């Protein structure tokens, strides 16, 4: 009887060990959006392979599917959303997600292909902003910071155009999905712009923004996000350590942002 119990325990132990080995041997699947998030992860993935960690980079072209895929277990990690966007997704969709490490804080800008300064923006100007709740609020705060509008004092992160208290130039707002703002910029007087979309598109110069969100805290950094039940996966910890300590990753990021520090910040590095 004792022998039988020992055999059962040994069987359970070996089964668990085999499962663990299988997980560790499987590639770590990371969901990204095109641009520097995909590119920097790819650079880190190349270094990870040298350490025996296989990485599969999965690109998405919208801001909804990466969270759906993570929730379904189709990927192990995603890297495209800031913590405020994440909090809204968790609250509204019930996703069991957690941030496991902050990454690049890519500043938001106000761009125009028609006007050289904010003072040149005319009365009744059309302004394109992102259509998702978090980035609507972010755009409106940038417009307020730039002196074009004021918001009600109690406006939260999810502010909308209904929260605008004063609008001296009677700006007209057009809401567009974030990744499409680059194309829309030439059709409006002023547009919210994401440098990490603008740069690869080469539609216009991302360093010529009329204002930037360099005042924002690190909650706006893009986060590496995992499901809570997979956050302790040792493959994730190994990859994140490679990502944040790699000189190659750091150089790739700086080169992507046109060697211009006013477009981004690396949150894991101490600021001077």
């Amino acid at each position: 009887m004792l022998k039988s119990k020992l055999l059962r325990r040994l069987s359970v132990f070996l089964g668990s060990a085999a499962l663990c080995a299988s997980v560790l041997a499987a590639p770590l699947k990371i969901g990204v959006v095109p641009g520097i998030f995909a590119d920097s992860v790819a650079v880190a993935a190349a270094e990870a392979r040298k350490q025996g960690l296989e990485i599969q980079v999965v690109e998405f072209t919208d801001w909804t599917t990466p969270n759906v895929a993570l929730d379904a277990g189709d990927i192990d990690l995603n890297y495209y959303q800031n913590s405020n966007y994440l909090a809204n997704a968790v609250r509204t969709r019930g996703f069991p997600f957690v941030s496991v490490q902050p990454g690049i804080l890519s500043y938001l800008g106000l761009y125009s292909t028609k006007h050289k300064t904010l003072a040149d923006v005319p009365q009744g100007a059309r302004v394109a902003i992102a259509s998702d709740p978090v980035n609507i609020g972010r755009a409106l705060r940038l417009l307020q910071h730039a002196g074009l509008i004021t918001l009600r004092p109690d406006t939260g992160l999810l502010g909308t155009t209904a929260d605008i208290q004063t609008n001296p130039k009677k700006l007209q707002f057009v809401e567009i999905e974030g990744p499409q703002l680059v194309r829309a910029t030439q059709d409006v007087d002023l547009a919210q712009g994401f440098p990490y979309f603008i740069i690869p598109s080469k539609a216009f110069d991302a360093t010529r923004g009329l204002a930037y969100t360099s005042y924002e805290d690190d909650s706006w950094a893009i986060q590496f996000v995992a499901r809570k039940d997979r956050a302790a996966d040792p493959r994730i910890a190994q990859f994140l350590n490679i990502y944040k300590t790699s000189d190659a990753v750091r150089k790739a990021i700086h080169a992507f942002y046109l060697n211009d520090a006013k477009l981004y910040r690396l949150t894991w590095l101490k600021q001077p």
Side-chain angles (χ1 to χ4, degrees), residues 160-238:
T160 69
T161 53
D163 293 303
I164 295 175
Q165 190 171 54
T166 64
N167 181 7
K169 292 195 173 187
K170 302 187 185 312
L171 303 178
Q172 302 177 52
F173 296 95
V174 182
E175 295 181 11
I176 298 170
E177 188 173 0
Q180 306 305 319
L181 283 166
V182 174
R183 296 179 182 178
T185 301
Q186 63 184 352
D187 299 322
V188 296
D189 292 284
L190 191 65
Q192 174 184 10
F194 299 85
Y196 54 83
F197 287 133
I198 297 168
I199 292 169
S201 76
K202 298 182 180 179
F204 49 89
D205 189 352
T207 69
R208 299 294 295 273
L210 304 184
Y212 294 99
T213 58
S214 54
Y215 52 83
E216 289 181 326
D217 62 38
D218 288 356
S219 69
W220 293 99
I222 300 303
Q223 309 286 314
F224 284 98
V225 175
R227 277 177 35 168
K228 289 180 180 178
D229 60 350
R230 297 189 182 183
D233 186 332
R235 297 173 304 163
I236 291 178
Q238 183 182 356

Side-chain angles (χ1 to χ4, degrees), residues 11-178:
S11 177
V12 170
F13 172 77
L14 290 175
S16 299
L19 178 61
C20 183
S22 174
V23 170
L24 290 174
L28 184 71
K29 298 179 181 180
I30 305 177
V32 293
V33 292
I36 189 52
F37 305 109
D39 294 349
S40 62
V41 166
V43 171
E47 296 199 8
R49 291 186 188 103
K50 297 175 185 177
Q51 298 184 20
L53 176 62
E54 190 66 27
I55 305 296
Q56 182 178 339
V57 182
V58 183
E59 285 199 14
F60 298 92
T61 57
D62 66 87
W63 288 355
T64 300
T65 312
N67 274 344
V68 174
L70 184 63
D71 186 47
D74 296 331
I75 56 177
D76 304 294
L77 202 62
N78 70 33
Y79 186 43
Y80 81 104
Q81 61 193 316
N82 60 57
S83 60
N84 299 303
Y85 187 99
L86 171 63
N88 189 56
V90 169
R91 181 172 57 253
T92 59
R93 297 291 301 274
F95 290 132
F97 296 166
V98 62
S99 169
V100 289
Q101 179 178 293
I104 304 167
L105 173 50
S106 186
Y107 299 140
L108 187 72
L110 288 178
Y111 292 92
S112 178
T113 59
K114 298 179 180 179
H115 311 294
K116 292 184 178 180
T117 70
L118 291 173
D120 294 334
V121 175
Q123 290 285 322
R126 296 177 71 234
V127 181
I129 59 177
S131 58
D132 67 278
V134 171
N135 279 301
I136 289 175
R138 195 180 183 195
L140 293 177
R141 285 190 298 280
L142 177 54
L143 287 162
Q144 176 172 251
H145 186 80
L148 293 175
I149 63 171
T150 60
L151 300 170
R152 294 187 316 212
D154 60 346
T155 302
L157 290 179
L158 302 181
T160 69
T161 53
D163 293 303
I164 295 175
Q165 190 171 54
T166 64
N167 181 7
K169 292 195 173 187
K170 302 187 185 312
L171 303 178
Q172 302 177 52
F173 296 95
V174 182
E175 295 181 11
I176 298 170
E177 188 173 0

Side-chain angles (χ1 to χ4, degrees), residues 3-18:
K3 184 177 180 180
S4 177
K5 287 184 177 180
L6 288 174
L7 287 174
R8 284 198 300 270
R9 289 178 182 175
L10 179 59
S11 177
V12 170
F13 172 77
L14 290 175
S16 299

